[in-house]
């Protein structure tokens, strides 16, 4: 019996990772995990509980104490935290929280457990750090295309403001000291500009020889 697929998909915000990863997992019949939801969950909990975002030790303690289960609904120690994950406060703060080394260590350990039975896992350090032995894909798109997608997804009226926020996220994610966003060694790079989800999935499967 063939081993279950383990596929890592990385890329910047709004490059199509979630929609493509979900569709790819459905085609392959395996689990889909969006690690960004895990960092959003920790961020939302920190804001809700008044944890200072400049207190790395407190943020690490919070992440270590929560079992995050990502899916259609996101659970933290069994409590549904999904509805708060896309608030403006979380959007502004998640890059700061995800840059904390202790938070990353705690969540990477959980992510590796989630991948044991086969997975399509998406994020910003999956192929480089979380699952370095996986089949690796890096999805990219122009910042203008990503801003258009994110504005349509969230209903934001000011696309230029969305673009500025994405550029800020790119800078923070690429420059952080722990697990910065980069193209993992050996990754297949797929430019998603002008492609719909099925088109990207087809390109990924062809590139991976599946």
């Amino acid at each position: 019996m063939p081993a279950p697929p383990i596929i890592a998909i990385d890329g910047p915000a709004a490059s199509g990772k979630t929609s493509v990863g979900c569709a790819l997992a459905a085609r392959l019949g395996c689990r889909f995990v969006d690690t960004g939801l895990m960092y959003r969950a920790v961020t939302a909990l920190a804001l809700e509980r008044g944890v200072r975002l400049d207190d790395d030790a407190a943020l690490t303690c919070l992440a270590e104490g929560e079992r995050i289960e990502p899916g259609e609904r996101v659970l933290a120690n069994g409590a549904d935290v999904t509805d708060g994950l896309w608030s403006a406060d979380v959007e502004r703060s998640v890059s700061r929280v995800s840059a904390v080394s202790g938070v990353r260590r705690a969540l990477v350990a959980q992510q590796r457990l989630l991948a044991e039975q086969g997975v399509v896992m998406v994020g910003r350090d999956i192929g480089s750090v979380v699952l370095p032995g996986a089949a690796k894909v890096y999805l990219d798109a122009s910042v203008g295309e990503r801003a258009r997608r994110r504005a349509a997804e969230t209903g934001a009226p000011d696309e230029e403001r969305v673009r500025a926020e994405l550029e800020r996220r790119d800078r923070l994610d690429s420059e952080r000291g722990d697990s910065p966003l980069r193209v993992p060694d050996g990754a297949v790079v797929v430019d998603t500009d002008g492609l719909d989800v099925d088109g990207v999935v087809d390109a990924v499967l062809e590139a991976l020889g599946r």
Side-chain angles (χ1 to χ4, degrees):
M1 185 174 180
I6 299 178
I7 298 175
I9 300 180
D10 292 302
S15 58
K17 298 186 301 294
T18 300
S19 53
V20 169
C22 187
L24 180 62
R27 285 212 205 172
L28 295 173
C30 63
R31 182 172 192 172
F32 170 67
V33 172
D34 180 353
T35 61
L37 296 177
M38 301 174 76
Y39 289 100
R40 284 179 177 275
V42 172
T43 304
L45 290 170
L47 293 169
E48 178 185 313
R49 297 175 186 177
V51 177
R52 288 172 55 100
L53 299 187
D54 60 355
D55 189 336
D56 289 6
L59 290 169
T60 297
C61 185
L62 173 62
E64 289 175 342
E66 296 290 334
R67 181 186 177 203
I68 311 296
E69 300 174 68
E72 288 188 14
R73 307 297 296 179
V74 180
L75 306 181
N77 283 350
D80 191 330
V81 296
T82 312
D83 292 341
L85 299 187
W86 296 97
S87 72
D89 286 343
V90 169
E91 189 72 28
R92 281 192 296 268
S93 305
V94 65
S95 285
R96 163 62 190 136
V97 173
S98 64
V100 176
S101 294
V103 172
R104 301 199 73 83
R105 284 195 302 271
L107 294 187
V108 166
Q110 294 187 44
Q111 290 156 13
R112 287 175 174 161
L113 289 174
L114 291 170
E116 288 183 348
Q117 302 304 315
V119 74
V120 173
M121 185 174 287
V122 305
R124 290 173 176 76
D125 65 344
I126 310 306
S128 56
V129 174
V130 182
L131 303 174
K136 302 171 190 176
V137 178
Y138 187 91
L139 299 186
D140 206 356
S142 65
V143 69
E145 174 66 10
R146 292 189 287 126
R148 183 193 66 76
R149 291 174 184 168
R150 179 56 58 84
E153 177 183 280
T154 62
D158 188 344
E159 192 171 307
E160 283 304 311
R161 180 173 293 180
V162 173
R163 178 178 180 135
E165 176 61 22
L166 287 175
E167 289 173 336
R168 185 186 74 86
R169 288 283 305 277
D170 289 349
R171 186 170 59 254
L172 290 172
D173 290 342
S174 298
E175 295 176 357
R176 68 186 180 218
D178 191 340
S179 305
L181 171 68
R182 62 181 177 83
V183 180
D185 292 340
V188 172
V189 179
V190 177
D191 186 339
T192 67
D193 274 15
L195 295 177
D196 62 11
V197 171
D198 286 337
V200 178
V201 171
D202 289 341
V204 169
L205 289 171
E206 180 179 0
L208 295 179
R210 292 179 176 269

